[in-house]
Amino acid sequence: MEKFTYNNKTVEIPSCLDEINSGQYRQFLILSVLMNRGTITPGQFRVKWLSFLLGMKADYTIYRREIIRELDEQLYKLDGFFSYTTGKNGERIVTPILKTGCNLMQDFGGWHGVGDMLNGLTFGNFCDCLELLQQCKQAAENDDSGIDEIFRELTLKLYRYKEPEKTPDVPSLLAIHAMNFFSSVWDMILSQPVYIGGEAIDFRILFQKLGLDERKADDKTGWTGIAFEVAASGVFGNKKEVDDTPFWDVLLYLYKCKFEYLHQKRNKK
């Protein structure tokens, strides 16, 4: 948390994404979308964000000059919400930090989604989301107009409406969050140990490249092929039962198999 002092008072507000609540996250996401579309500048983003966190009804830039000066001098305290990089022409690029394993929009209107770190997501839906994520990246590279439908499909893998028979169109803000949330957790799996039951599990070993003498022909089945291999083991049942199993359970099983394989390989040397 950070303390902001202005107009003879001190207010404590969040200093990073992990400290905000669901309502604050929604506002941060809305401002992020507006900045990404060019509707507001990074500077306006920070002003609007700080004004919101301070509970102001309007941007603080319409207040007295003394208040504006006081808050302008403390804007650096919001740096925990942004990353700063340098562009090709030396310009400063400001990017809002949205990567988190916490589902800060688990409930949205009549929609209810999976928990933190995608807890509650089945292995089948996890595989479908990975495919949709790949499609999204390809669509973005090709300026494909079908990207909105990809976002919608992925959201419906993570969320359910309170009355399934009356499911409305997926709200655009929820779709943006769902894609961001899933990709954030996936990035965490690929880049760092994940804590499960208080123990750090490094799933990155699942994606280590095999040596030249160990490589098998790629059958191009990807995660679908993995699901069939897991089903063949009988640990979780047939293919449908594997798809219905919590995805973390399947990943832990795959991790255990890979860990044992690497351990045996080291012992043979």
Side-chain angles (χ1 to χ4, degrees):
M1 303 294 282
E2 288 281 359
K3 292 182 178 180
F4 279 76
T5 300
Y6 70 101
N7 199 26
N8 297 319
K9 64 180 179 181
T10 299
V11 179
E12 191 174 60
I13 65 172
S15 61
C16 62
L17 198 65
D18 290 337
E19 295 176 351
I20 65 177
N21 59 37
S22 180
Q24 292 168 335
Y25 170 76
R26 292 181 192 182
Q27 182 65 17
F28 188 71
L29 184 58
I30 290 171
L31 292 173
S32 299
V33 172
L34 292 176
M35 192 187 82
N36 185 56
R37 292 175 177 173
T39 305
I40 61 175
T41 66
Q44 291 172 323
F45 188 134
R46 293 202 302 170
V47 166
K48 291 181 179 297
W49 180 230
L50 178 55
S51 301
F52 175 81
L53 292 177
L54 293 175
M56 295 178 168
K57 295 182 179 179
D59 291 356
Y60 72 77
T61 50
I62 70 169
Y63 284 67
R64 297 197 315 272
R65 187 176 301 172
E66 294 79 10
I67 294 178
I68 296 174
R69 184 173 62 252
E70 284 181 305
L71 292 177
D72 277 348
E73 292 175 351
Q74 299 175 81
L75 278 174
Y76 70 90
K77 295 178 181 178
L78 294 179
D79 284 351
F81 290 103
F82 305 93
S83 66
Y84 303 94
T85 55
T86 302
K88 295 181 179 179
N89 299 318
E91 73 279 14
R92 188 173 77 156
I93 300 174
V94 181
T95 305
I97 296 174
L98 289 167
K99 183 177 179 179
T100 176
C102 297
N103 189 355
L104 294 171
M105 275 175 56
Q106 188 172 8
D107 291 291
F108 185 83
W111 297 84
H112 181 74
V114 297
D116 295 345
M117 293 300 293
L118 299 172
N119 284 325
L121 185 66
T122 65
F123 184 68
N125 280 349
F126 169 73
C127 294
D128 289 342
C129 286
L130 284 177
E131 174 61 28
L132 290 168
L133 181 60
Q134 183 59 36
Q135 291 178 22
C136 181
K137 293 178 179 178
Q138 295 173 348
E141 292 174 355
N142 300 321
D143 294 324
D144 191 335
S145 59
I147 197 168
D148 289 343
E149 180 60 24
I150 296 173
F151 273 59
R152 176 185 175 278
E153 288 185 36
L154 186 140
T155 304
L156 292 174
K157 299 293 181 182
L158 305 186
Y159 282 82
R160 291 291 180 270
Y161 191 65
K162 60 182 179 181
E163 299 179 73
E165 68 282 358
K166 298 180 181 179
T167 300
D169 291 338
V170 175
S172 59
L173 189 66
L174 182 63
I176 292 170
H177 162 71
M179 179 62 76
N180 175 72
F181 177 47
F182 179 83
S183 60
S184 294
V185 175
W186 178 235
D187 285 344
M188 293 170 70
I189 291 173
L190 293 176
S191 63
Q192 64 190 60
V194 176
Y195 282 88
I196 298 179
E199 182 178 356
I201 307 295
D202 194 345
F203 289 101
R204 288 176 293 184
I205 66 171
L206 294 176
F207 313 103
Q208 290 178 356
K209 293 183 179 180
L210 296 173
L212 289 173
D213 58 336
E214 300 168 295
R215 291 178 184 172
K216 297 185 298 183
D218 186 356
D219 60 9
K220 306 299 182 182
T221 59
W223 285 90
T224 299
I226 291 174
F228 276 106
E229 288 186 17
V230 173
S233 73
V235 173
F236 301 103
N238 59 31
K239 172 63 165 55
K240 183 180 183 308
E241 290 171 320
V242 171
D243 285 341
D244 291 339
T245 300
F247 92 99
W248 283 116
D249 290 358
V250 179
L251 283 192
L252 281 169
Y253 169 74
L254 294 172
Y255 171 85
K256 178 177 177 293
C257 292
K258 186 63 175 285
F259 182 85
E260 290 177 348
Y261 166 76
L262 293 175
H263 182 69
Q264 291 172 359
K265 179 183 173 184
R266 284 195 297 269
N267 288 340
K268 290 180 180 179
K269 290 184 178 180

